[in-house]
Amino acid sequence: MSPSGRVDPYPTYERLRAHGTVVQAGPVFSVVTGYAEADAILRDARFGVMDDDLRDQFLPGWRESPAVLSISRSMLRTNPPDHSRMRRLAAGAFTPRRIAAMRDVVEAQADRLVDGMLARGRDGAPADFMAEFAYPLPVGVICALLGVPAADRPLFRRWATDLTGVLEPEITPEELAVADRGAGELRDYFTELVAARRRSPADDLTTALVQAHDGDGDRLSGDELLANLIVLLVAGFETTTNLLGNGLVVLLDHPRDAAALRDHPEFAPGYVDELLRYDSPVQLTSRMSTEPTRHGGVDLPAGSWLIVMLGAANRDPGRYPEPERFDPWRPQVHPLSFGAGPHYCLGAGLARLEAQVAFPLLLRRLPGLALAGRGERRVRLTLRGYATLPVTVGDGASPVTDRGTPAGATGSTP
């Protein structure tokens, strides 16, 4: 939980793993580092997210916090049947068919952003990849789904950064005040958007959720409507923004693999899954047990609180040999970065599509793309990413000189 530990948690994960795949840190508190154990717990119906009674116990006064209230009333932090009810209302926007149909839109947006990077970087001046590409691409896509006007998109980065501090395992009163400010601004924005959609319905997800609320309040309460709009927006770009930033650094640090992806964009699905495994944009989640269970050789009584370290599970040597090595040709990669089970990320397919489009396009259109420094990591553990990432677009001469296909890749897709 130290600043250095949040910036680079992987050495600490291995120290934890040396004590077991499930490590008891107190009478009812455990940390999960093993892949098999994390996957099983996330799928086990005997585990759920923290409910109101437990929030009352651990976070007295939480109802006075706009940030905690917004998260707790969304599908992110509710259990069945409420979770299932809310998730069904939004799921239609994220079906595989609808996501596949968005490829052309994503490609067009990514091309325009690269045009902008080229125009601003022709004199060799560095650009901030996070601000110029990694944020505007996914925020543009999710805002289009929600029906948020394009002119409003720049507002959300600071608001979301402020709000997501509440997802950290620990938060100071000062940090909570910042999160509350972000939540308040987001609630004010979506209150106005909901009113606008009542006056003028549109073909977007906001209108669909408003109509679900207005048509039958039992399907979606007013608090749930605002909370889910906030979470859909924030989750719709935060994870993908971090995936794009983390992934670009890895690719530029591995030029031979980057060259293969540039020349063979059809390899992108395997690359993206390995990038998700290697440096997950979401590092942890939590679960509470409702019944006594046993995982990783540890007895977990009812009421146990588990921190499931997704980033550690993705680097479990029992599941992935040489887990510290980036290997896009690694077989059977199934990262837990988007979770598993009932709370599996609703937008995982969309995030994968955006990354699968973005990385080959960046490498092809910006052959001279290079890091202009190591960037500034956000001092966060739950959502792992960069605050800034300076890059130069080059003059067309590629720093990736080996254009061959890596050994083991011939005739196969990673």
Side-chain angles (χ1 to χ4, degrees), residues 64-68 158 162-163 165-166 171-185:
E64 306 305 316
S65 164
V68 179
R158 180 179 64 80
D162 289 349
L163 169 63
V166 80
I171 188 168
T172 67
E174 294 77 17
E175 290 167 337
L176 182 59
V178 171
D180 285 339
R181 181 185 67 194
E185 289 168 319

Side-chain angles (χ1 to χ4, degrees), residues 198-218:
R198 286 196 174 107
R199 293 191 300 268
S200 302
D203 183 19
D204 57 43
L205 184 53
T206 297
T207 298
L209 294 178
V210 168
Q211 291 173 344
H213 168 267
D214 293 353
D216 181 356
D218 290 337

Side-chain angles (χ1 to χ4, degrees), residues 121-412:
R122 290 194 190 282
D123 60 354
D128 179 7
F129 177 74
M130 304 308 293
E132 300 284 347
F133 190 96
Y135 168 72
L137 177 63
V139 83
V141 173
I142 193 62
C143 283
L145 277 174
L146 288 170
V148 170
D152 294 342
R153 294 170 189 173
L155 299 170
F156 298 120
R157 191 177 185 194
R158 180 179 64 80
W159 294 349
T161 298
D162 289 349
L163 169 63
T164 52
V166 80
L167 299 176
E168 291 294 291
E170 286 185 339
I171 188 168
T172 67
E174 294 77 17
E175 290 167 337
L176 182 59
V178 171
D180 285 339
R181 181 185 67 194
E185 289 168 319
L186 284 163
R187 286 181 71 87
D188 289 345
Y189 180 88
F190 278 110
T191 297
E192 293 184 8
L193 184 62
V194 164
R197 287 297 176 267
R198 286 196 174 107
R199 293 191 300 268
S200 302
D203 183 19
D204 57 43
L205 184 53
T206 297
T207 298
L209 294 178
V210 168
Q211 291 173 344
H213 168 267
D214 293 353
D216 181 356
D218 290 337
R219 294 179 69 200
L220 198 67
S221 72
D223 281 344
E224 290 171 346
L225 171 62
L226 290 176
N228 281 293
L229 286 170
I230 290 171
V231 165
L232 284 166
L233 173 78
V234 173
F237 73 83
E238 270 282 350
T239 301
T240 312
T241 293
N242 292 339
L243 168 58
L244 293 173
N246 297 348
L248 183 68
V249 171
V250 175
L251 289 172
L252 294 181
D253 281 345
H254 295 80
R256 188 166 180 247
D257 292 312
L261 178 59
R262 181 191 60 212
D263 295 342
H264 298 279
E266 67 273 17
F267 292 166
Y271 269 72
V272 169
D273 278 351
E274 174 67 353
L275 289 168
L276 285 164
R277 183 204 68 81
Y278 182 78
D279 198 10
S280 177
V282 181
Q283 289 283 307
L284 62 85
T285 188
S286 63
R287 291 292 186 270
M288 309 290 296
S289 63
T290 58
E291 301 177 20
T293 64
R294 182 175 177 82
H295 286 280
V298 176
D299 290 320
L300 302 169
S304 294
W305 182 21
L306 279 72
I307 299 295
V308 183
M309 294 292 190
L310 306 175
N314 284 340
R315 291 200 179 193
D316 181 355
R319 176 63 176 79
Y320 299 109
E322 299 181 81
E324 73 289 346
R325 181 170 61 88
F326 174 69
D327 178 9
W329 318 106
R330 189 186 297 276
Q332 299 297 313
V333 176
H334 300 289
L336 294 176
S337 307
F338 294 116
H343 280 270
Y344 183 74
C345 176
L346 192 61
L350 183 58
R352 281 190 164 96
L353 171 66
E354 292 174 55
Q356 289 166 13
V357 167
F359 289 129
L361 184 146
L362 286 162
L363 295 169
R364 175 177 56 82
R365 292 202 56 202
L366 302 175
L369 185 64
L371 298 174
R374 299 309 297 181
E376 177 190 353
R377 278 280 187 189
R378 293 164 64 179
V379 187
R380 295 275 180 89
L381 183 55
T382 301
L383 296 178
R384 176 170 169 78
Y386 286 89
T388 62
L389 187 60
V391 297
T392 54
V393 298
D395 57 4
S398 174
V400 182
T401 57
D402 183 347
R403 298 175 64 88
T405 303
T410 305
S412 64

